[in-house]
Structures are given as C-alpha cells and as structure tokens.
C-alpha cells in the first residue's frame, strides 16, 4: 500500500467573499456550505488517505495558527502544521511540505489540496486520488481535471493529450466566456488545483526549475521552530520568490499528467458559487416575495428582504454587502475601493495585543510584593511559626494536616524573598519558621518526618528522599540570606545519611510505591546547586555531578529526549504505564536545572540535553488552551489533559534560562515561549495573593483552597524572571524589584 501524506494548503484571503472573508478570517475557515468550515470539510475528506503510514499536513500562515489548531480539534483530526512567516504563493508552500515529507518518507506521495474547495462527494474524490497514485509513484505529477458542466470564466483550464489519465498538453489562464465555450468543445478540463506527486519528485522539479524557491525553503525548514505539532519556518522562507506552482513547475515540466474527474466541484470563489451550493444561507432572515436570494446574517442580526430577485445580502458586524448575484465577481472592485476609502473595513477589528513578557513580569513583581508575600506571611503562618498547608481563596483558615515539605518550601520562599530585596518581615517569618521546623518536624536523626496533624502531633515518621531534598534546599536558602552558623553542617549530615544507601548507579531508593523515581533526585540536584551557589564545599559539587550523570544516562530516553518518571531497580524504565509516563512540567524543570548546571560548568553537551528536555516539554503544551498539561506518554500521546499551576512556572523558568543562553532567533523564540508561559500562569493567580491549582480540560477550575506548596514554584519563576529577563533584553528593564 502506497504511503500518502495529504497536504492542505491554507493560503489565500478570498477577497471576492468580502465582507465575510477577510485576511484574519479567510474563506477557508468560514462555514460557507454547511455547518463546518471549508477547511474542516477538506480535512475530513482527505484524512483517511493517510491511514496507511502517512500523516495529514497543513500548510498555513503563522497568523492563522490558532484557528487551524482550534478547527482541527473541533473535528477530532490531528495533523502536522507547517506555518509560513509570510505567504510566498503555492510553489514555496508546496516545496516546504514536500521537503518535510521527503525527510520522513522520500518515496511517499503528497496529495496537495486547496483548503477552500467544495466537494460534496468525498468518496468519489478519494477514489480519484487512489487512481492517480499509481502514476505518481512512477514519477508523474498528476493533477485532477474536472470535466466542465458549463463554460465558466472563473476557472483556469487544462488541455489533455487524450482521454483518461494522460499527459498535459497545456495549462491556460481563465478565459472569457466565448473562449471557455471553445475550450469545452475541445475537451479541456477545469484546473482544480489538486496535485498528486511523489515528495522527492516535486522537490527535484522545484530545485531544477525554480532553484531560488527550493533553496530558500531548505534553509527555512532547517531553521524551523517546533512547537508541539507546529513547525514555524525560518526567516529565509520570506526570501523565496513569490510564484505559483503552475508557473514554477507545471508549465515547464515534461512529467505533468491529468486525470479527468466528474465529481461535483467548486472553489466557491464568489457569492454566486456559494448560493449555487444550496447551503449558503446563514443566520436569522425573513424573505417576502423574494426569489433566488442568498442571505447571510451574523449572530444577533435579523435580515428582512422584500421583493428581491437573485440578490445576495451579507451582513457582518461592521459591514453590509448587497449585490446582484450575477455580478459577484465584482466584489473585488469594492475591496479595491476600500483600500483608499475605508481601509479599516478590509479586515475585522483586531483583538487587543497579548500582554508582553516585560509588562507581565512587572505586574508579577507587584503582585508578589503587595499581595502574595504579605498574605502568606500573615494568614499563612500561625503563632508557632508553622506554615499553613492551605488557605481558602478568600483567605480563611482551612484546618488540614501539615506536610513537612511545605514547611521547608515556605522557608525557602521567604528566604528567597529576602534575597531578592523584599522589605516585608521576611526575617521574622524565616526565624520563626526555622525554629518551628527544628522543634516539630525533625526526627532524632535530623531528617524530616513526613506529616504532622494541624495541631502539631506527628502523624507519619517516614523520612522520604523528596522531603529531605527540600529540607536541604530550605537550609541553603536560609543560609544564603542570614549566614546562620551550623546550617551547612545540618544539611551535610542529612546529605550523608541519604547517600549512605546510594546504589552503584548513584541513585537513591525512595519510600512508597515508586521506590525508583527521577523526581526526588531532581529536587536533590536543586538543593545541591543551591549549596554550591551559597558557597558550599566540594561534596555538594559531587552530589550535583552524580545526579546529572544518572539523569543523562538513565532518566532521559535516548530516542525521544524525554525524561521518564519511574524505573526498575537497575534504572531501566518501569514496566507498563508507569514506565511510559512523561510529565511536561518535569521536562521543563529538569531542563532548567541542567541549563544551570551546564552553564556553571561550561558544558555544552549538558545544555544540549537541556534543550531536548525543553522541546519534550513543549510537546505537552496544549495547542488550543495554551497550557502545559499534567501528563503524556513517552510517544507524545496525551495522558492527562488537566493543567496544574506548577508546570506553567517551570515552562516559564526553562524558557527564560535558555533565552539567556541563546542568541538571535532562538533567543527570541524562547522569550516568546516565556511570554506565553507567564500569560498561562496569570490565569491561576488571584488579585488577593491567592491562586487556583487545577484547570480541567473544559477550561474550568476545580473549586478548592490554594495550596501553599505552589508558592515555591511561583517564587522560583519570579527569581528566574528577575535574573534572566534583563540579561536577554537589548534594552534596560526596570520595575522587577520586590
């Protein structure tokens, strides 16, 4: 079975369908002949052709990225999306898709289809494609020629060499009505703009006949930025000559063939064609003594018409078109006049620009200074110095058992706030919190027990590796701001207890149902790096080196670049679903830590691994909601579409540190990702200094108190913002101080 990669071409703005079709919402994304958009109908029509090892590909403009992703999700179709930074006509777009395909399966067949054609009989269309595939596999470039039903000056024509599948004698432009009649009598076919061709054949033709197009596309694809299913072509794409595939290849090649087809087809290029589909009417309308009319009314508008014949009425919020349907082609003349008379009506009003990274960062600093830090240092800490586990969103007390890790995390948060210059009572918060930790949370051996009751009684004496990592981390943070004597010795004692039981790989066994895991090691690495930064000795460097080696050799999957969560005792992947689990938030968190580690040691290989983890994390950012999801599988499949707060902070941190380590386009890409991550984080934060924790797939929040444990992630995101954003900017940035 031949492998087919269908390619949907989403270029074009459909000016003859103004005012419904405009640059920001061109006709392919509008329901013109039914409930689904033309693009959606096209995707449904061709997706099944990729079932035998192929993949659906969409080529569209960068400005339409979200529309493409949203409309694909609505119909449950997945696709690889190639985004053009600038439209350069069909030859460059087709070259990008062909080269993308050829790098995966050189002998695969590309089916190139327009996104805005109306073909009601999908089965007949697919049958025609399958008939053309055999010739394409032999190196022919096959186009589908529609047998005309009437002379039309709206379409280009193809002269075939004979009946059935045959060579092309000539491609001709849109004729006048008389010439169109002659073409039909001579057996010419309508040029449908559908092509079936082997990917490597098309690339060879383009490189031979339009080399400047092919070369620009090759450079652009090599420099493409990958974001989940989307690949945004590099800037070189804009240097490709703006030329159609007909002029670049089809009129020059000796390999062109045409297959006559008889299914119903229209490019719905004007309002008369939309009316002829029989499904063009939209919205509320009343017609009195009127015949042959097309009425399209936007939501909230009623159209009433009396005594009209063959008239189109198209109503949008800001514009109304009334036209004799026989003169639908003249709408383009109206559009041309608008360019000087009222250019604001050429497109829909644009949405307010998304908040910039710099503006969001400044607002974040104010929120921490005025809301979050004051609230959690008062309502979030009791008279004994113990930190609350939870606060209601209105600030009310919530009685709950207290985890030792939360006491350690909140100590780190307020010590870091002091280090960052917050003028609130961080010293007293840290002093009382540290005293409470020593008095209530430590076992006789110096390690933290897991859990206390709300009143302070021990509930669980287990000393987990995860909790000890946060104890060590908190002691490093407090030491860095207070230089309190004895804290490094205390941290070293806990470290030594832990590593007495390290195995031959340097790994530690965790308590509980998942004894061999990467997560506890991640936080130990963070703690060791914190002690390095605070002036700790060589043992902390040895711990960091040991964990990074384990991560690079065992935790990170060599094939996918993703980091797994759970393992067997030999640190090979765990069996079943446990071994397949990948958490996007942890991909970002490890990427951030490895970037810090690699920077401190000037190790480019570690930084390269950081990039691989970062790219793995980006695959877990939901394309429609713009949020990092909770879990996926090692193959990239979604596992848990819920989105917690903390992965958004890790997305932000990783983007920022990698921006600071990058230049030019790669730096700009990371900064844009950071802006997206910060906007995602803002969805969770409340003006009162609280936060929500979990967004469900439908976009709603779980109604629950704010967990104190999130503050550690939030503060770390702020600290990275303050450090990396000025370093990555070409202009001075102020207003980030606490």
């Amino acid at each position: 079975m031949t492998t087919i990669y269908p390619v949907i071409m989403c270029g074009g703005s459909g000016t003859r369908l103004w005012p419904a079709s405009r640059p920001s919402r061109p006709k392919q994304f509008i329901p013109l002949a039914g409930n689904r958009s033309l693009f959606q109908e096209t995707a449904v029509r061709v997706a099944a052709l990729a079932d035998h090892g192929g993949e659906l590909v969409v080529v569209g403009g960068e400005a339409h990225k979200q529309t493409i992703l949203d409309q694909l999700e609505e119909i449950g179709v997945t696709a690889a999306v190639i985004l053009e930074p600038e439209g350069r006509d069909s030859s460059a777009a087709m070259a990008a898709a062909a080269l993308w395909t050829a790098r995966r399966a050189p002998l695969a067949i590309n089916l190139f289809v327009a996104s805005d054609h109306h073909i009601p009989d999908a089965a007949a269309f697919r049958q025609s494609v399958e008939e053309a595939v055999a010739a394409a596999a032999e190196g022919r470039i096959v186009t589908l020629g529609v047998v005309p039903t009437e002379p039309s000056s709206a379409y280009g024509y193809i002269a075939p060499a004979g009946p059935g599948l045959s060579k092309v004698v000539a491609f001709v432009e849109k004729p006048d009505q008389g010439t169109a009649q002659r073409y039909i009598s001579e057996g010419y076919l309508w040029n449908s703009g559908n092509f079936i061709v082997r990917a490597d054949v098309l690339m060879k033709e383009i490189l031979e006949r339009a080399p400047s197009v092919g070369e620009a596309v090759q450079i652009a694809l090599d420099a493409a930025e990958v974001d989940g299913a989307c690949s945004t072509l590099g800037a070189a794409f804009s240097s490709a000559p703006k030329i159609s595939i007909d002029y670049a290849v089809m009129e020059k090649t000796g390999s062109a063939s045409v297959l006559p087809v008889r299914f119903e087809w229209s490019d719905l290029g004007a309002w008369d064609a939309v009316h002829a589909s029989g499904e063009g009417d939209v919205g509320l309308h009343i017609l009195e003594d009127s015949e042959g009319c097309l009425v399209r009314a936007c939501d909230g508008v009623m159209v009433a018409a009396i005594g009209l014949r063959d008239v189109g009425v198209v109503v949008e919020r800001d514009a109304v078109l009334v036209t004799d349907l026989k003169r639908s082609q003249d709408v383009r003349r109206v559009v041309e006049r608008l360019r000087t008379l009222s250019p604001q009506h050429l497109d829909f009003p644009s949405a307010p620009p998304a908040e910039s990274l710099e503006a969001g960062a400044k607002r974040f600093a104010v929120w921490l200074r005025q809301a979050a830090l004051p609230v959690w240092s008062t309502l979030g800490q009791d008279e004994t110095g113990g930190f609350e586990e939870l606060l209601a969103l209105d600030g009310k007390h919530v009685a709950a058992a207290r985890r030792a890790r939360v006491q350690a995390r909140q100590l780190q948060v307020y010590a870091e706030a002091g280090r960052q210059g917050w003028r609130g009572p961080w010293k007293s918060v840290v002093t009382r919190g540290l005293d409470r930790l020593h008095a209530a949370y430590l076992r006789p051996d110096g390690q933290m027990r897991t859990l206390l009751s709300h009143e302070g009684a021990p509930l669980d004496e287990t000393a987990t590796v995860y909790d000890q990592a946060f104890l060590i981390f908190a002691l490093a943070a407090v030491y860095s701001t207070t230089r309190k004597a004895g804290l490094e010795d205390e941290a070293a004692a806990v470290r030594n207890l832990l590593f007495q039981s390290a195995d031959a790989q340097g790994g530690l066994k965790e308590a509980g149902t998942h004894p061999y895991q990467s997560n506890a090691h991640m936080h130990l690495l963070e703690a060791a790096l914190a002690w390095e930064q605070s002036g700790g000795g060589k043992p902390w460097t040895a711990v960091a080196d040991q964990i990074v080696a384990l991560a690079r050799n065992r935790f990170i999957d060599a094939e996918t670049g993703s980091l797994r969560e759970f393992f067997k005792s030999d640190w090979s992947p765990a069996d079943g679903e446990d071994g397949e689990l990948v958490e996007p938030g942890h991909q970002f968190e490890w990427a951030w830590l490895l970037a810090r580690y690699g920077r401190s040691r000037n190790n480019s290989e570690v930084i390269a691994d950081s990039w691989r983890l970062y790219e793995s994390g980006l695959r877990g950012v939901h394309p429609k909601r713009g949020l990092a999801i909770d879990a996926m599988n090692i193959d990239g499949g979604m596992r848990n579409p819920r989105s917690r707060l903390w992965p958004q902070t890790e997305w932000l941190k990783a983007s920022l540190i990698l921006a600071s380590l990058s230049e030019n386009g790669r730096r700009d890409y990371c900064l844009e990702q950071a802006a997206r991550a910060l906007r995602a984080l803002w969805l969770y934060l409340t003006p009162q200094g609280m936060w929500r924790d979990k967004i469900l797939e439908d976009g709603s929040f779980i109604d629950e108190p704010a967990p104190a444990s999130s503050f550690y992630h939030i503060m770390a995101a702020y600290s990275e913002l303050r450090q990396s954003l000025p370093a990555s900017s070409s202009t001075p940035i102020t207003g980030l101080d606490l």
Side-chain angles (χ1 to χ4, degrees):
M1 184 67 70
T2 305
T3 302
I4 301 175
Y5 281 71
V7 181
I8 302 176
M9 310 287 287
C10 282
S13 58
T15 55
R16 288 174 293 168
L17 292 176
W18 182 89
S21 174
R22 307 193 209 179
S24 62
R25 190 190 68 183
K27 72 170 186 173
Q28 59 264 32
F29 300 121
I30 305 171
L32 287 176
N35 295 324
R36 292 189 291 213
S37 73
L38 295 175
F39 167 67
Q40 289 175 316
E41 293 287 0
T42 303
V44 170
R45 184 165 63 249
V46 305
L49 292 166
D51 284 349
H52 302 287
E55 186 173 0
L56 178 62
V57 181
V58 177
V59 182
E62 192 172 8
H64 299 137
K65 172 183 177 180
Q66 200 57 50
T67 301
I68 291 169
L69 294 173
D70 290 349
Q71 293 205 357
L72 286 172
E73 184 178 48
E74 286 172 8
I75 59 175
V77 172
T78 59
V81 181
I82 300 173
L83 297 171
E84 303 169 294
E86 176 186 338
R88 304 306 294 169
D89 217 318
S90 58
S91 62
M94 291 173 67
L99 181 58
W100 185 93
T101 303
R103 289 179 175 180
R104 286 154 180 79
L107 298 182
I109 302 296
N110 278 136
L111 161 66
F112 292 96
V113 297
S115 60
D116 56 358
H117 289 181
H118 178 54
I119 303 175
D121 192 343
F125 173 83
R126 288 191 291 268
Q127 183 177 352
S128 297
V129 171
E130 289 167 357
E131 186 177 346
V133 161
E138 296 298 321
R140 303 298 298 175
I141 305 175
V142 184
T143 184
L144 303 182
V146 178
V147 177
T149 57
E150 60 182 354
S152 173
S153 60
Y155 305 133
Y157 285 74
I158 300 173
L165 180 63
S166 64
K167 290 185 177 182
V168 172
V169 174
F171 291 89
V172 294
E173 292 293 328
K174 298 175 183 178
D176 57 33
Q177 200 70 14
T179 305
Q181 181 66 61
R182 178 170 62 82
Y183 284 165
I184 290 178
S185 66
E186 294 176 359
Y188 283 39
L189 307 167
W190 284 338
N191 186 353
S192 72
N194 297 286
F195 298 94
I196 303 95
V197 57
R198 221 170 61 203
D200 64 326
V201 169
L202 182 60
M203 274 311 301
K204 181 175 180 292
E205 290 274 356
I206 289 175
L207 286 169
E208 287 181 357
R209 305 181 188 283
S212 54
V213 172
E215 291 163 7
V217 167
Q218 287 178 326
I219 296 170
L221 190 59
D222 289 340
E225 296 288 356
V226 178
D227 182 7
C230 298
S231 299
T232 302
L233 296 168
F237 188 80
S238 298
S239 68
K242 201 169 187 180
I243 182 172
S244 74
I245 195 67
D246 286 345
Y247 289 134
V249 173
M250 299 306 294
E251 294 182 0
K252 302 174 184 177
T253 183
S255 300
S257 296
V258 61
L259 175 69
V261 296
R262 295 184 178 275
F263 50 72
E264 182 183 344
W265 168 85
S266 170
D267 70 352
L268 296 186
W271 288 119
D272 57 344
V274 174
H275 177 57
S277 74
E279 301 180 84
D281 289 342
V282 171
L284 294 172
H285 59 278
I286 297 174
L287 298 181
E288 183 70 24
D289 188 26
S290 298
E291 294 180 0
C293 294
L294 170 74
V295 179
R296 296 178 66 88
C298 62
D299 289 344
V301 174
M302 161 66 78
V303 173
I306 302 172
L308 299 183
R309 299 291 183 273
D310 302 322
V311 170
V313 181
V314 183
V315 180
E316 292 293 336
R317 292 286 181 191
D318 62 336
V320 178
L321 171 72
V322 181
T323 180
D324 182 338
L325 286 172
K326 297 185 186 69
R327 299 190 61 184
S328 294
Q329 296 290 335
D330 290 341
V331 172
R332 71 179 109 191
R333 294 166 61 182
V334 172
V335 172
E336 286 303 315
R337 293 182 64 185
L338 284 173
R339 297 189 192 283
T340 54
L341 178 65
S342 184
Q344 69 269 25
H345 288 99
L346 290 170
D347 206 349
F348 293 103
S350 58
E355 185 176 48
S356 69
L357 178 57
E358 182 176 345
K362 291 179 179 179
R363 189 159 63 100
F364 193 32
V366 172
W367 178 82
L368 281 168
R369 180 172 62 247
Q370 294 184 353
L373 286 167
V375 163
W376 289 90
S377 63
T378 52
L379 300 178
Q381 188 179 35
D382 64 25
E383 64 280 358
T384 71
F387 292 103
E388 297 287 352
E389 181 80 16
L390 305 164
L391 284 177
L393 293 181
D394 61 2
K396 289 183 179 178
H397 173 260
V398 177
R402 294 182 177 179
R403 292 175 295 168
R405 67 186 61 172
V406 170
Q407 187 74 15
R409 284 187 177 202
Q410 294 295 76
L411 271 173
Q412 187 273 332
V413 164
Y414 281 93
E416 179 64 14
R419 192 177 76 85
Q420 294 289 351
W422 185 52
R423 300 189 62 162
W426 69 269
K427 286 185 180 178
S428 62
V429 172
V430 168
T431 298
R432 291 187 297 121
L434 186 62
D435 289 345
R436 181 60 177 168
L437 182 143
H438 284 136
Y441 286 93
L442 297 188
R443 307 189 320 181
D445 63 358
Q447 297 187 95
M448 281 201 309
R449 52 178 58 94
T450 296
L451 193 67
L452 300 182
S453 69
H454 185 264
E455 294 74 23
L459 294 178
D460 187 344
E461 290 291 322
T462 306
T464 67
V465 176
Y466 187 100
D467 286 346
Q468 308 326 304
F470 275 104
L471 171 59
I472 294 170
F473 185 41
L475 295 174
V478 175
Y479 179 75
S480 72
T481 52
T482 66
R483 296 295 161 176
K484 181 178 174 63
L487 294 183
E488 184 175 6
D489 290 340
E490 185 178 344
V494 176
R495 177 198 68 211
N496 293 340
L497 277 174
L498 288 175
F499 281 91
Q500 282 178 359
S501 58
D503 61 23
Q505 301 289 337
L508 299 179
K509 185 177 179 180
E510 180 60 291
T513 57
H514 291 104
Y516 303 99
Q517 58 171 261
S518 56
N519 193 20
H521 293 84
M522 178 180 72
H523 292 298
L524 273 175
L525 174 59
E526 183 176 26
L529 292 177
W531 273 111
E532 275 193 352
Q533 189 175 347
S534 297
K538 291 182 179 180
W540 297 113
T541 297
V543 168
D545 292 345
Q546 183 172 321
I547 295 174
V548 168
L550 182 62
R552 298 183 67 205
N553 294 327
R554 298 292 182 171
F555 298 163
I556 299 173
D557 179 67
E559 181 177 346
T560 65
S562 300
L563 183 135
R564 300 179 193 263
E565 296 291 325
F566 302 124
F567 303 86
K568 300 176 184 176
S569 59
D570 63 354
W571 299 104
S572 61
D575 294 327
E577 290 187 353
D578 282 351
E580 298 295 307
L581 175 63
V582 170
E583 295 191 16
H586 284 157
Q587 310 305 299
F588 291 130
E589 200 164 1
W590 274 100
W592 175 67
L593 287 167
L594 290 187
R596 288 177 57 193
Y597 177 93
R599 180 177 60 187
S600 69
R601 283 135 172 94
N602 195 28
N603 189 322
S604 60
E605 292 183 355
V606 173
I607 293 174
D609 283 339
S610 172
W611 272 103
R612 295 187 74 199
L613 291 172
Y614 180 65
E615 290 165 355
S616 173
L618 290 176
R619 291 193 286 272
V621 175
H622 195 283
K624 181 176 180 181
R625 289 186 285 133
L627 299 172
I629 63 171
D630 281 3
M632 56 188 186
N633 292 315
I634 194 73
D635 64 3
M638 187 182 299
R639 184 158 172 169
N640 184 350
R642 187 186 68 176
S643 296
R644 294 191 65 187
L645 178 153
W646 70 266
Q648 321 314 317
T649 66
E650 305 312 312
W651 177 17
L652 175 58
K653 287 159 54 182
S655 299
L656 287 164
I657 195 168
L658 288 172
S660 72
L661 295 173
S662 304
E663 296 179 350
N664 303 324
R666 210 173 198 193
R667 177 190 60 204
D668 294 342
Y669 175 72
C670 288
L671 290 175
E672 176 54 34
Q673 289 294 328
R676 291 180 60 197
L678 185 53
R679 291 193 290 268
L681 177 58
W682 271 115
L683 297 176
Y684 297 81
L685 308 181
T686 75
Q688 297 78 24
M690 299 295 180
W691 44 81
R692 299 177 178 89
D693 185 50
K694 304 177 188 74
I695 294 180
L696 300 176
E697 188 174 13
D698 64 4
S700 64
F701 284 98
I702 293 179
D703 186 11
E704 59 185 344
S709 57
S710 298
F711 208 174
Y712 146 76
H713 293 283
I714 293 168
M715 179 56 73
Y718 163 76
S719 299
E720 192 61 51
L721 261 172
R722 190 179 178 197
Q723 176 177 337
S724 292
L725 184 54
S728 301
S729 176
S730 58
T731 59
I733 295 179
T734 59
L736 300 184
D737 296 346
L738 290 180

